[in-house]
Amino acid sequence: MRNKKIVVITGGAGFIGANLCQRLVNEDYHVICVDNFMTSSLNNVKGLIKDKRFKLIEHNVSEHITIRGEVNYVLHCASLASPADYLNFPIQTLKVGSLGTHNALGLAKDKKAVFLLFSTSEVYGDPMVHPQKESYWGNVNPVGVRGCYDESKRFAEAITMAYHRMHKIDTKIVRIFNTYGPMMRANDGRVVSNFINQAIANKPLTVYGSGNQTRSFCYIDDLIEGLYRLMRSSINDPVNLGNPGEFTVMQLAKLVLKLANSKSRIVFKALPQDDPRQRRPDISHAKKLLKWSPNIELEDGLSRTIAWFKK
Ligand code: UDP
C-alpha cells in the first residue's frame, strides 16, 4: 500500500536530516527537504535526488518558508548542532532556533500538519540531575558561549508548546542526546568525528580537559527509529532519545584507537567554557510510550562509522 504522506524536513541534508530523509523515502513518504547547506552537504542526499518522492529546496529557514500544496508533517531539524559550529556562528544559531522554529511552526499551522521539533540534551545545560529526565528544567548559562544554542532550543521548545496550546497544533519535541554515524561531517568538530578522523590519519587524538567528562553516544540508526516512532505517535510532551550507555571522553578515545587499529597518541587541550561534566539520558519515557530503546552498542556503531569514514 502506498503511503504518500508529505513531509517537509528542514535541515534535511544534514547528518540526522539526511538519514531521516532516506528512511522516510524507504517508507514511501514524499519528502520535501529544505536546506541552505550552511553546515550540511548536497552529497548526503545525492542518492535521493532522482527519486520522484524526494524534492530539494535550497532555502534558509530563518526566512519565511513557502511550500505549495498539501503537507502532512513538518519536521524542524535545521540547526547548527556542533559546538564548534555554534561558537563560530552564534547569531545564525540563535536565528534558526528562534525565527526558524517560528517559520516552521507557521507552516505547520497553515497546512494543519503535525510538527516535530528537533531539540537537544543541551536544554539541560551542565546538569545537576543525573541521568536527565524530561521533567528536569536544566542548568544553563544564558550568557555563556553555549547560550546561543541552548537558549534558542529552549525558546524553540517554549514556542512549540505555545503553538500547541493556542493553535491546537499536534506538536512533538524530541531531545536528542549525542548521536554519531555515517553522514557526519568529518570536520564538524565533535568528539566522535574528530577522534575517528584523527585515528585514521594517525594524528594525535585531542582530548579536551582531563577527559573525565561523560557523554552517552547513540548510533544514528537507533535514533532514526525513535524519531520515526515519535513523529507518528500521539505524544505532545518532550521525549529524550539517546543511548543510556555512559562513557568518559577518555574511554571513547581509547576505544576509537583500538577499533581503528591506530597508533595515534592522545594529547590534552583546554576544556571549552561551560562544557557539561556529565550527560546520560533517562529513556524510560521513550521505552514506555514508544516501545523504543537503542540496540547498537558503542563498539559496533563505532566500527561501522570508522568503516564509513575510511570509504
Ligand atoms: N571533545 C574532546 N575532543 C574533541 C572534541 C570534543 O575531548 O576533539 C569533548 C568535549 O569537550 C565534550 C565532549 O567531547 O566534553 C563532547 O563534545 P562534542 O563537541 O562532541 O559535543 P557536546 O556533547 O559537548 O555537545
Side-chain angles (χ1 to χ4, degrees):
M1 200 181 74
R2 283 183 66 78
N3 204 312
K4 287 207 174 153
K5 291 259 188 222
I6 300 165
V7 181
V8 169
I9 173 163
T10 73
F15 161 50
I16 293 176
N19 278 284
L20 187 54
C21 284
Q22 185 65 63
R23 170 70 187 266
L24 290 170
V25 168
N26 292 349
E27 301 283 352
D28 214 15
Y29 284 77
H30 285 225
V31 175
I32 301 169
C33 165
V34 184
D35 206 302
N36 69 345
F37 302 112
M38 182 165 174
T39 57
S40 56
S41 163
L42 184 59
N43 239 355
N44 286 341
V45 290
K46 74 169 190 289
L48 287 167
I49 296 284
K50 285 205 179 110
D51 198 303
K52 284 200 173 62
R53 295 164 297 185
F54 184 80
K55 187 175 163 193
L56 180 64
I57 298 175
E58 190 169 346
H59 177 71
N60 178 356
V61 295
S62 297
E63 312 286 336
H64 184 84
I65 312 166
T66 310
I67 305 278
R68 263 189 245 124
E70 187 188 347
V71 173
N72 305 108
Y73 291 89
V74 175
L75 313 182
H76 182 41
C77 180
S79 187
L80 293 91
S82 161
D85 288 334
Y86 57 75
L87 295 186
N88 285 330
F89 301 102
I91 296 171
Q92 288 89 337
T93 303
L94 280 155
K95 281 174 132 179
V96 70
S98 56
L99 307 178
T101 305
H102 184 216
N103 290 331
L105 279 163
L107 178 67
K109 176 171 168 256
D110 183 41
K111 304 290 186 183
K112 298 184 175 50
V114 173
F115 179 84
L116 172 59
L117 173 69
F118 288 58
S119 187
T120 167
S121 53
E122 280 283 324
V123 298
Y124 302 122
D126 189 5
M128 312 290 272
V129 167
H130 195 70
Q132 293 78 54
K133 283 185 201 299
E134 290 87 347
S135 56
Y136 177 48
W137 293 351
N139 177 39
V140 168
N141 175 2
V143 295
V145 290
R146 293 174 90 103
C148 60
Y149 184 63
D150 302 10
E151 295 295 7
S152 70
K153 289 293 191 180
R154 290 167 67 93
F155 171 87
E157 292 198 5
I159 192 172
T160 297
M161 290 312 293
Y163 268 64
H164 174 63
R165 293 186 184 115
M166 300 309 291
H167 296 310
K168 311 291 174 220
I169 298 180
D170 184 5
T171 61
K172 288 112 194 16
I173 296 173
V174 56
R175 294 184 180 150
I176 299 173
F177 285 66
N178 296 63
T179 301
Y180 68 98
M183 296 206 245
M184 286 188 97
R185 211 173 82 227
N187 63 348
D188 78 354
R190 281 190 273 205
V191 69
V192 174
S193 40
N194 272 6
F195 284 178
I196 290 180
N197 286 291
Q198 290 160 345
I200 292 173
N202 283 314
K203 291 191 174 144
L205 268 60
T206 51
V207 168
Y208 300 163
S210 63
N212 289 331
Q213 69 273 37
T214 67
R215 293 293 186 273
S216 302
F217 301 99
C218 186
Y219 188 68
I220 184 70
D221 291 3
D222 279 333
L223 180 83
I224 295 295
E225 180 60 33
L227 292 171
Y228 186 62
R229 288 182 190 213
L230 179 61
M231 68 179 255
R232 300 179 332 141
S233 76
S234 56
I235 303 169
N236 299 122
D237 289 328
V239 179
N240 287 339
L241 290 181
N243 190 319
E246 185 179 358
F247 297 84
T248 66
V249 164
M250 190 53 112
Q251 284 174 318
L252 177 74
K254 289 181 177 160
L255 191 55
V256 168
L257 287 179
K258 185 184 98 177
L259 298 172
N261 204 8
S262 167
K263 295 187 184 59
S264 295
R265 298 180 297 127
I266 291 176
V267 295
F268 294 90
K269 300 239 168 163
L271 187 69
Q273 189 193 324
D274 295 338
D275 198 280
R277 278 160 298 168
Q278 54 181 2
R279 185 182 287 156
R280 170 154 60 100
D282 180 321
I283 58 164
S284 40
H285 226 64
K287 274 187 178 159
K288 187 168 155 221
L289 300 173
L290 300 173
K291 310 271 175 279
W292 175 87
S293 56
N295 295 316
I296 298 160
E297 298 292 336
L298 184 59
E299 270 209 42
D300 182 13
L302 284 177
S303 301
R304 297 187 203 189
T305 310
I306 290 167
W308 184 81
F309 271 117
K310 279 187 174 164
K311 269 202 298 185

